[in-house]
Amino acid sequence: MRLRDCFGHASCVRIAAASGVALTTLLAPAASFAQAADGRKTGVLFYTENDDWWPDTGTDKDYTNGFRLTIDRNSDSFRLHRWKIFEKWVPAYGSCHVAQPAQKKCISSAFHFGQQFYTPDDISIRELIPNDWPYAGWLYVGGSWRAASINQAVISDAYVGFTGKPSLGREVQTQWHKIVSATKPEGWDNQIGTRLGINVAHSRHWAVKDLMRDGRRWLEVTPFVGGNAGNIMVDGYAGGRVKLGYNITRDWTHSAIGPAAISPRALEREGTKQSNFEAFISVDGRGRVVPYNVFLDAAEHHTIHRRHAIGEMAVGVGIRVSRFMFTYRVAKISKEYDEALTHHEFKALRFAVLVR
């Protein structure tokens, strides 16, 4: 059964119904947040990444699929500066829902629910493939804390979740491939083991170049540095992004699955002209040093030789109409282990809506 034949099929109806219930449950808090009358705004963002979308490379391997649902708020949901453990480390900036000068940092926050999974090149083989990417999944929840002005941003994240069977990687891939009549994945019995994963991340971003015309931004250059620490990923990276377009909103994002503020709050605070339309193209890249990657390093009985220095680059397009934003991004990652035949490529979609 192909995807276009899915409509009306019993299995698809069940999946759609379950998805509807899940989304309703997850979006209900967003709707209640948005009803506040004091300037608070809530955005709902859905990200999805896959290596088998257009332009189709004909692969279904390595990092093969990921999704994330984010509830994004322009207010300080965590109030970390009020916690004794953090009071010496977290500046007591004001919340972004309160009007402040554009050059002054304010606090916004986000909540995340997501999944990622990885597979070898030939998923029709039931036996372990020692010289290819191991089967691995990661199901998690998390939160983001952001201190940002129109010129710079500091973002911290924390995630907790599970690898192994509780990640539901086998179930999601098997059911999806059944729906679209793709190859059944046979090797999930060889996935990495179950572990409780805890990871934290931190990044800093700067706007080093802005070009404006008629009060609207049409070019921005934003370098960034950051890293992850925990028992899922340990890495450090540096890179930058260039966006060219019309009425560009500052969102401090450098990747598709990553913290992002979708509210046009930055433009409001900057005092630039408002518009219900935004369009852009973007080019970004980064270099990473990766001492530890659970999706490769936790694999038993594999003989792959991992590379600890990785390069990434991507090209994307985006459009916003009123409160709705859509972006599409094609990313390429250099070989992450010696046995890989070539670099890896995946595509990313992001849909966002600002709930008022």
Side-chain angles (χ1 to χ4, degrees):
M1 180 176 58
R2 298 186 182 278
L3 182 58
R4 62 174 177 267
D5 300 324
C6 180
F7 299 101
H9 192 277
S11 64
C12 299
V13 171
R14 289 194 295 269
I15 292 174
S19 300
V21 172
L23 283 174
T24 300
T25 304
L26 287 164
L27 296 184
S32 63
F33 292 154
Q35 292 173 359
D38 59 357
R40 288 183 171 87
K41 295 180 181 178
T42 297
V44 180
L45 299 88
F46 180 73
Y47 304 98
T48 178
E49 297 178 339
N50 196 286
D51 62 353
D52 199 25
W53 290 342
W54 182 89
D56 188 2
T57 57
T59 64
D60 193 17
K61 64 176 184 177
D62 297 356
Y63 176 40
T64 185
N65 189 72
F67 80 88
R68 172 184 283 179
L69 182 69
T70 292
I71 306 300
D72 192 284
R73 305 189 67 194
N74 72 337
S75 57
D76 185 2
S77 301
F78 305 111
R79 301 183 181 181
L80 296 180
H81 61 277
R82 297 188 179 183
W83 298 25
K84 275 200 169 184
I85 190 173
F86 294 120
E87 62 184 359
K88 293 183 179 180
W89 311 100
V90 179
Y93 298 124
S95 180
C96 287
H97 76 279
V98 179
Q100 299 178 53
Q103 288 71 33
K104 185 176 181 180
K105 287 181 180 177
C106 64
I107 304 299
S108 58
S109 52
F111 304 89
H112 313 289
F113 167 73
Q115 182 198 52
Q116 296 175 334
F117 57 81
Y118 304 75
T119 68
D121 186 15
D122 190 346
I123 60 175
S124 68
I125 298 175
R126 185 179 298 272
E127 293 75 20
L128 183 142
I129 307 173
N131 62 343
D132 205 343
W133 197 298
Y135 285 86
W138 164 235
L139 186 70
Y140 63 88
V141 295
S144 298
W145 177 93
R146 297 182 299 259
S149 69
I150 198 64
N151 299 316
Q152 57 181 297
V154 178
I155 304 173
S156 297
D157 313 278
Y159 303 97
V160 60
F162 287 95
T163 64
K165 291 183 179 180
S167 72
L168 303 180
R170 178 206 294 264
E171 289 77 6
V172 171
Q173 188 179 40
T174 301
Q175 288 303 313
W176 179 249
H177 280 212
K178 183 178 180 181
I179 291 173
V180 300
S181 298
T183 302
K184 181 182 178 181
E186 299 285 359
W188 274 100
D189 286 340
N190 305 303
Q191 69 177 303
I192 65 173
T194 299
R195 71 166 62 187
L196 172 64
I198 299 176
N199 239 67
V200 295
H202 186 77
S203 61
R204 291 179 176 266
H205 311 246
W206 299 269
V208 298
K209 184 67 175 180
D210 273 335
L211 292 181
M212 312 287 290
R213 183 174 183 180
D214 297 329
R216 295 184 174 94
R217 182 182 297 108
W218 64 271
L219 174 71
E220 72 169 12
V221 180
T222 53
F224 52 80
V225 297
N228 291 267
N231 64 342
I232 298 297
M233 182 74 67
V234 178
D235 73 351
Y237 59 81
R241 184 190 65 185
V242 177
K243 290 174 72 173
L244 176 67
Y246 172 79
N247 196 44
I248 296 172
T249 302
R250 185 92 81 219
D251 66 5
W252 296 121
T253 307
H254 65 264
S255 65
I257 288 194
I262 65 156
S263 167
R265 179 63 172 164
L267 289 178
E268 293 170 2
R269 295 172 62 229
E270 190 184 18
T272 55
K273 292 183 179 180
Q274 292 297 292
S275 172
N276 286 328
F277 180 77
E278 171 185 356
F280 63 84
I281 60 174
S282 65
V283 179
D284 64 88
R286 64 173 178 168
R288 295 175 63 204
V289 176
V290 189
Y292 183 75
N293 180 348
V294 70
F295 308 115
L296 289 171
D297 294 329
E300 298 180 358
H301 311 301
H302 282 74
T303 57
I304 55 179
H305 298 85
R306 193 164 68 80
R307 298 185 177 184
H308 296 276
I310 302 168
E312 303 176 8
M313 66 174 299
V315 177
V317 296
I319 185 170
R320 176 176 61 85
V321 178
S322 185
R323 297 180 291 119
F324 301 89
M325 174 171 276
F326 174 82
T327 63
Y328 182 75
R329 181 173 177 265
V330 179
K332 295 181 182 292
I333 306 174
S334 65
K335 292 171 61 172
E336 297 184 66
Y337 55 100
D338 290 342
E339 290 76 12
L341 298 178
T342 183
H343 68 271
H344 186 56
E345 178 180 309
F346 67 89
K347 295 85 182 180
L349 297 173
R350 179 177 73 168
F351 176 77
V353 58
L354 179 62
V355 183
R356 296 189 185 277

